[in-house]
Amino acid sequence: MYYHIMKSNDIRLNLATETYLMNEKKFDEPLLLFYIEGPCIIVGRNQNTLEEINKQYVDEHGIVVTRRTSGGGAVYQDLGNLCFSFVVDSDSEEFGDFKSFVQPVVDALHRMGATTAEVSGRNDILVDGKKFSGNAMYTKNGKTFSHGTLMLDVDLSVLPNALTVPEDKIKSKGIKSVSSRVTNLRPYLSSEYQDMTTPQFRDELLRELFHVNNTDEIKDKEYKLTPEDEKGIDKINAEIFDNWDWVYGNSPEFTVKKRQHFTSGTIDARFVVDDGKITVAKFYGDFFGPKDAADLADKLVGTKFERAEVEQVLNDVDVNQYFNGISKDELLDLLF
């Protein structure tokens, strides 16, 4: 396994680095990435950004907002959070199998004292039943990356002000608020790790994952960016993660809105229907899927907004490739 530690604290540049290394570089072993960023919100690929954030609060507090290329829900991060990412060949792991990716991290945290840490649900890591890590996955061009957060010492007071969590998602988890189901990891670590800064936590976790006592022992496994790499990263950042159209985009007024929270995620389907036919289709939500749901939406444009007509289109596609864990019939029941 190789590793790269990002020097930037800008989430947009860090996501661009992750994307570049995944798409433009070839490694003969898995790649591990670590990055830390200032206050920011990252929404999932399929989410409606303005409906996930409190725009006024975000603007007033200088919180950076961007969109990642993977699915899942919106997350808040600051300098008290450590991000990690694994990049592997897509045929080496099954899409959606988060446990296989994050289990080495959980094992390392156990050795650091957080013995109740466990993978739970579809993409969370919990400690004493509370979430301190969310994970997302994306696959493209034969590569898959699974990236996640580790909340060491995040300012939790910001979460209920910066994020707007839909009521149905909260109810589905049997809790009263987003604040009641998240926690920081620091209190659960052994006493020797209690006073670590986030970079110190990162370095300790790196040693644990490589089973070494000193990072000097794995210098040959570190990948360092070249000037050519940095140029390519800047280009991706400008085109995607620091691009208003990608982060926010423009949405028309939808005439049909259908929303449901499934075990595998939420689908918020919206259509513009004119003269009985779908003229615009969009799927929002925190769902995952190896294929882009926008492609499925495009297939529905021009179809009559009737169950039989839409079902005929869906018969020619594997719905599970767009909404992992959600069937064609479940999608049709939601729409009609």
Side-chain angles (χ1 to χ4, degrees):
M1 182 167 65
Y2 297 100
Y3 75 93
H4 173 68
I5 295 176
M6 301 185 199
K7 307 302 182 185
S8 166
N9 291 137
D10 186 326
I11 181 60
R12 297 162 295 192
L13 198 59
N14 289 341
L15 289 176
T17 301
E18 182 182 68
T19 301
Y20 175 85
L21 292 176
M22 174 185 174
N23 294 334
E24 304 299 330
K25 292 292 180 179
K26 293 183 178 180
F27 296 92
D28 55 7
E29 297 177 28
L31 174 66
L32 168 65
L33 306 172
F34 279 123
Y35 44 105
I36 302 167
E37 40 266 339
C40 59
I41 292 175
I42 309 96
V43 300
R45 178 183 69 192
N46 305 303
Q47 291 187 297
N48 185 331
T49 302
L50 288 174
E51 293 187 4
E52 297 295 327
I53 67 173
N54 180 339
K55 189 68 165 59
Q56 181 177 345
Y57 182 91
V58 164
D59 290 344
E60 290 175 351
H61 291 79
I63 299 173
V64 173
V65 178
T66 191
R67 180 192 300 277
R68 60 182 182 270
T69 54
S70 57
V75 294
Y76 171 77
Q77 298 174 13
D78 61 22
L79 294 172
N81 180 82
L82 173 65
C83 284
F84 65 92
S85 178
F86 291 101
V87 180
V88 301
D89 291 334
S90 57
D91 59 0
S92 66
E93 302 288 346
E94 183 179 351
F95 189 90
D97 182 13
F98 290 98
K99 187 171 184 177
S100 65
F101 281 98
V102 303
Q103 192 60 49
V105 174
V106 173
D107 293 341
L109 294 176
H110 284 180
R111 294 192 292 270
M112 296 171 68
T115 56
T116 60
E118 60 178 343
V119 183
S120 178
R122 63 185 183 125
N123 63 324
D124 294 340
I125 309 179
L126 310 183
V127 60
D128 279 2
K130 289 192 172 186
K131 176 179 175 177
F132 68 90
S133 171
N135 297 268
M137 191 175 292
Y138 180 66
T139 185
K140 185 178 180 181
N141 298 332
K143 293 284 187 180
T144 294
F145 73 67
S146 177
H147 49 190
T149 59
L150 292 171
M151 297 170 58
L152 177 67
D153 196 17
V154 172
D155 184 355
L156 299 180
S157 67
V158 176
L159 270 67
N161 296 308
L163 295 175
T164 56
V165 181
E167 191 72 20
D168 62 343
K169 188 171 184 179
I170 293 175
K171 287 181 178 178
S172 73
K173 296 180 181 293
I175 53 175
K176 294 182 178 179
S177 71
V178 64
S179 300
S180 68
R181 65 178 292 255
V182 298
T183 189
N184 280 315
L185 188 59
R186 188 188 297 281
Y188 300 93
L189 300 175
S190 300
S191 57
E192 61 188 292
Y193 305 116
Q194 284 291 317
D195 297 325
M196 288 189 304
T197 63
T198 309
Q200 289 170 336
F201 174 57
R202 173 199 64 204
D203 294 345
E204 184 62 34
L205 189 58
L206 179 65
R207 289 189 288 269
E208 288 284 345
L209 289 170
F210 276 88
H211 304 289
V212 297
N213 295 319
N214 193 305
T215 51
D216 288 340
E217 300 176 49
I218 53 173
K219 277 188 173 180
D220 61 326
K221 291 294 185 179
E222 181 179 11
Y223 181 78
K224 296 184 178 180
L225 299 178
T226 66
E228 181 182 358
D229 292 337
E230 292 175 348
K231 186 177 179 180
I233 290 166
D234 288 340
K235 184 174 185 292
I236 292 173
N237 187 38
E239 292 177 350
I240 303 177
F241 302 106
D242 196 22
N243 182 333
W244 188 94
D245 287 333
W246 166 256
V247 178
Y248 292 97
N250 289 309
S251 295
E253 287 295 321
F254 295 96
T255 54
V256 176
K257 300 180 182 181
K258 303 283 188 175
R259 176 188 172 91
Q260 184 174 337
H261 184 75
F262 300 90
T263 303
S264 299
T266 300
I267 296 180
D268 181 354
R270 304 193 184 189
F271 299 94
V272 175
V273 178
D274 188 17
D275 288 335
K277 290 187 176 182
I278 300 170
T279 58
V280 179
K282 180 70 177 179
F283 292 107
Y284 294 111
D286 61 356
F287 53 84
F288 294 103
K291 292 186 177 181
D292 192 342
D295 294 338
L296 177 58
D298 289 342
K299 294 178 185 295
L300 296 176
V301 173
T303 303
K304 290 181 181 178
F305 190 66
E306 297 177 359
R307 183 175 182 123
E309 296 288 330
V310 172
E311 183 173 12
Q312 187 173 351
V313 174
L314 295 182
N315 283 337
D316 295 328
V317 300
D318 182 356
V319 172
N320 198 59
Q321 290 290 301
Y322 301 96
F323 310 111
N324 194 45
I326 298 172
S327 69
K328 178 189 73 174
D329 289 339
E330 288 176 316
L331 179 60
L332 286 168
D333 288 344
L334 162 65
L335 298 181
F336 299 99

